[in-house]
């Protein structure tokens, strides 16, 4: 076993060796600019890009390869989708809708547009992190031009009822965007079945390279138009100018092809390991709480709050494990996760949460070690916790009149 054990596959994934092999020639021998229309170098590069475009189209279930636009990653795809629709359809309306547990690249884009004068609705989510299609329906007004709801959440793994939300949007004639970054390669994606008009994906979360992503843009029923963020040579049908990152795109295509091919078996294996971890923790520890949906969750995610144990201390106590905490200081202040807050997890429990993200290269041995290490560290920290001791002695903490608070 190699240490530290990587259990942070939601943050990024290692490049699959097969992906690297496919990319390598495109750095050296096959170095052409895919936009060079007048010689062999350009044609070869263009053919490689078009092959990758087809592979991404297959990943998202697009009917036409042309509906796939390459970007620098999902942050850009989300910005392009949301700002692109807001600008293009501003005569039609200025109301846009999202959820409070979206990735920052969605939320911050909404905040930016709100400052520019758009009307923003942030829908509530339930205690599992799901958005109800009926809540979406009731929020739509004649001025609504866009709904953006993620397919699966990156912290708690909850999967949204996307097809039902897509149906509502279609009925109401509103464009529907989904950030499918965490769902790609984990659950089958199909923009037709899901009623999705715009879908963001990225290579580095599916064993491809960092810095390359894609946006699916529907061309029929309805034909969706988006204003570009970047002006220039008119690449990507004018929606995203800039010389294409050919090696990155080739790697993304290969990663997508592998994901489609192995998904079913891989997810069965990862789910088995995830359930082993889940059982191992639950069997050996009390006062632990699952965050997110018990069944409607991506197979590689497990997020637990370990009451009376501060997440950051827990991580410090088990440096052999590369996991992520719900109180990770994203800012200077130690703010608990906004996702946990939105699903109603109290501040205390939010600070005790740990996200385990499993992936293609996670082994049984690693999970066995992880169970042992987490159980041991949680028990050790709880032994030092007067609060935990009081609870074990049957004292109701809520009955105590705290001073100094
Ligand atoms: C990682 C992630 C992104 C950002 O993707 P990048 O390619 O790193 O910009 C967006 N949305 C979700 C849900 C993510 O997990």
């Amino acid at each position: 076993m190699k240490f530290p054990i990587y259990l942070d596959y939601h943050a990024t994934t290692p490049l699959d060796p097969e992906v690297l092999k496919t990319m390598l020639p495109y750095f050296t021998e096959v170095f052409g600019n895919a936009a060079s229309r007048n010689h062999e170098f350009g044609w070869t590069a263009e053919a490689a890009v078009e092959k990758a475009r087809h592979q991404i189209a297959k990943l998202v279930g697009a009917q036409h390869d042309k509906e796939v636009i390459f970007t620098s990653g999902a942050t850009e795809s989300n910005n392009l989708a949301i700002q692109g629709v807001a600008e293009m359809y501003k005569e039609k309306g200025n109301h846009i809708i999202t959820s409070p547990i979206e990735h920052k690249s969605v939320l911050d884009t909404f905040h930016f547009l709100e400052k520019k004068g758009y009307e923003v609705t942030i829908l509530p989510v339930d205690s599992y992190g799901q958005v109800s299609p009926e809540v979406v329906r009731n929020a739509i007004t004649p001025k609504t031009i866009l709904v953006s709801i993620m397919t699966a959440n990156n912290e708690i793994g909850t999967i949204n009822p996307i097809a039902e939300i897509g149906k509502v949007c279609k009925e109401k004639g509103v464009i529907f965007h989904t950030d499918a970054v965490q769902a790609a390669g984990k659950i089958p994606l199909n923009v037709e079945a899901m009623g999705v008009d715009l879908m963001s994906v990225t290579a580095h979360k599916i064993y491809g390279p960092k810095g390359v992503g894609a946006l699916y843009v529907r061309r029929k029923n309805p034909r969706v138009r988006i204003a570009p963020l970047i002006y220039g040579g008119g690449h990507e049908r004018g929606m995203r100018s800039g010389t294409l990152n050919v090696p990155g795109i080739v790697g993304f295509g290969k990663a997508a092809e592998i994901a489609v091919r192995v998904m079913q078996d891989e997810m069965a294996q990862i789910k088995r390991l995830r359930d082993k971890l889940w059982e191992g923790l639950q069997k050996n520890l009390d006062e632990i709480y699952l965050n997110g949906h018990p069944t409607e969750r991506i197979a590689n995610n497990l997020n637990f709050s370990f009451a009376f144990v501060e997440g950051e201390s827990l991580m410090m106590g088990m440096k052999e494990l590369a996991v992520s905490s719900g109180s990770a200081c994203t800012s200077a202040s130690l703010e608990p996760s906004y996702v946990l807050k939105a699903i109603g997890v109290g501040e205390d429990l939010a600070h005790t949460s740990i996200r385990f993200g499993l992936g293609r290269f996670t082994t049984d041995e690693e999970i066995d070690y992880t169970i042992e290490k987490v159980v041991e560290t949680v028990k050790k920290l709880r032994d030092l916790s007067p609060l935990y001791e009081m609870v074990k002695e049957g004292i109701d903490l809520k009955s105590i009149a705290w001073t100094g608070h």
Side-chain angles (χ1 to χ4, degrees):
M1 232 186 320
K2 276 215 308 229
F3 292 105
I5 295 170
Y6 190 71
L7 288 173
D8 205 12
Y9 281 84
H10 299 292
T12 195
T13 60
L15 205 68
D16 189 297
E18 207 185 324
V19 170
L20 176 64
K21 207 172 92 201
T22 313
M23 290 171 70
L24 282 176
Y26 292 90
F27 288 103
T28 51
E29 303 107 75
V30 200
F31 62 86
N33 184 328
S36 298
R37 289 279 152 73
N38 35 17
H39 52 67
E40 179 84 27
F41 295 89
W43 302 330
T44 320
E46 192 194 11
V49 167
E50 291 319 307
K51 181 176 174 190
R53 205 184 296 283
H54 183 66
Q55 289 165 320
I56 309 299
K58 283 266 184 274
L59 175 73
V60 302
Q63 298 209 313
H64 302 283
D65 296 352
K66 279 185 177 170
E67 297 178 308
V68 174
I69 303 299
F70 286 111
T71 65
S72 65
T75 296
E76 184 186 337
S77 300
N78 286 340
N79 271 269
L80 177 57
I82 298 161
Q83 294 192 53
V85 166
E87 171 65 23
M88 192 59 95
Y89 294 88
K90 64 184 176 197
E91 310 303 332
K92 184 169 177 248
N94 72 338
H95 181 222
I96 52 180
I97 297 174
T98 191
S99 93
I101 66 169
E102 299 294 316
H103 189 262
K104 283 288 180 193
S105 56
V106 168
L107 286 176
D108 285 355
T109 305
F110 269 75
H111 292 145
F112 164 72
L113 290 170
E114 190 168 34
K115 272 196 217 126
K116 292 220 318 184
Y118 286 84
E119 197 193 314
V120 168
T121 297
I122 301 191
L123 300 175
V125 286
D126 66 17
S127 60
Y128 298 129
Q130 284 190 321
V131 176
S132 145
E134 280 316 299
V135 169
V136 174
R137 182 191 300 279
N138 296 334
I140 292 174
T141 74
K143 290 266 174 243
T144 309
I145 51 173
L146 177 73
V147 170
S148 178
I149 303 290
M150 72 202 315
T151 307
N153 183 268
N154 45 300
E155 283 190 35
I156 55 176
T158 297
I159 300 167
N160 265 313
I162 292 299
E164 287 80 0
I165 296 172
K167 214 166 132 204
V168 168
C169 292
K170 183 129 290 176
E171 273 172 43
K172 297 276 190 178
V174 173
I175 294 171
F176 181 35
H177 166 250
T178 190
D179 173 346
V181 167
Q182 295 291 341
K186 317 291 187 304
I187 58 173
L189 294 177
N190 186 298
V191 288
E192 297 305 322
M194 295 161 81
V196 164
D197 300 314
L198 296 157
M199 179 182 279
S200 303
V201 285
T202 192
H204 77 102
K205 307 267 172 99
I206 60 164
Y207 312 93
K210 293 169 182 60
V212 55
L215 179 66
Y216 160 82
V217 184
R218 179 176 290 283
R219 262 163 58 98
K220 250 174 76 181
N221 308 317
R223 184 182 182 88
V224 174
R225 294 181 311 138
I226 52 172
L229 294 174
I230 296 170
Y231 295 89
H235 308 73
E236 300 298 274
R237 297 170 42 229
M239 285 182 256
R240 207 283 190 171
S241 285
T243 300
L244 293 177
N245 169 6
V246 178
I249 288 168
V250 166
F252 189 10
K254 188 68 190 177
E257 183 225 293
I258 297 172
V260 169
R261 176 156 42 86
V262 305
M263 184 169 67
Q264 208 178 357
D265 292 343
E266 182 168 289
M267 284 307 124
Q269 155 81 352
I270 289 176
K271 185 175 181 297
R272 184 182 64 74
L273 291 172
R274 194 269 316 266
D275 290 347
K276 183 185 199 178
L277 175 59
W278 190 336
E279 277 171 38
L281 296 177
Q282 212 138 41
K283 202 172 71 196
N284 293 293
L285 293 168
D286 58 1
E287 300 281 345
I288 70 172
Y289 303 94
L290 180 74
N291 296 310
H293 202 286
T295 53
E296 292 300 306
R297 67 190 299 129
I298 40 177
N300 66 327
N301 177 285
L302 195 60
N303 188 316
F304 266 116
S305 286
F306 298 88
F308 310 106
V309 175
E310 214 268 312
E312 295 285 309
S313 324
L314 186 50
M315 290 209 307
M316 289 298 171
M318 42 187 214
K319 289 219 176 78
E320 302 87 341
L321 308 180
V323 293
S324 154
S325 119
S327 62
C329 16
T330 41
S331 59
S333 65
L334 204 68
E335 278 283 303
S337 145
Y338 66 91
V339 173
L340 296 179
K341 197 171 163 188
I343 63 171
V345 176
E347 194 154 326
D348 287 357
L349 271 185
H351 276 300
T352 73
S353 92
I354 296 284
R355 176 185 72 182
F356 302 90
L358 286 68
R360 183 167 294 167
F361 305 109
T362 307
T363 64
D364 271 283
E365 217 185 356
E366 289 178 331
I367 292 302
D368 292 338
Y369 183 90
T370 300
I371 295 168
E372 217 174 283
K373 192 73 203 172
V374 174
V375 169
E376 174 196 311
T377 315
V378 169
K379 285 190 169 161
K380 197 152 62 186
L381 290 168
R382 282 183 176 170
D383 280 346
L384 304 170
S385 160
L387 289 182
Y388 181 69
E389 203 174 306
M390 284 161 81
V391 167
K392 288 290 103 181
E393 284 166 9
I395 300 169
D396 180 7
L397 293 183
K398 289 188 194 80
S399 71
I400 299 170
W402 301 99
T403 56
H405 273 263

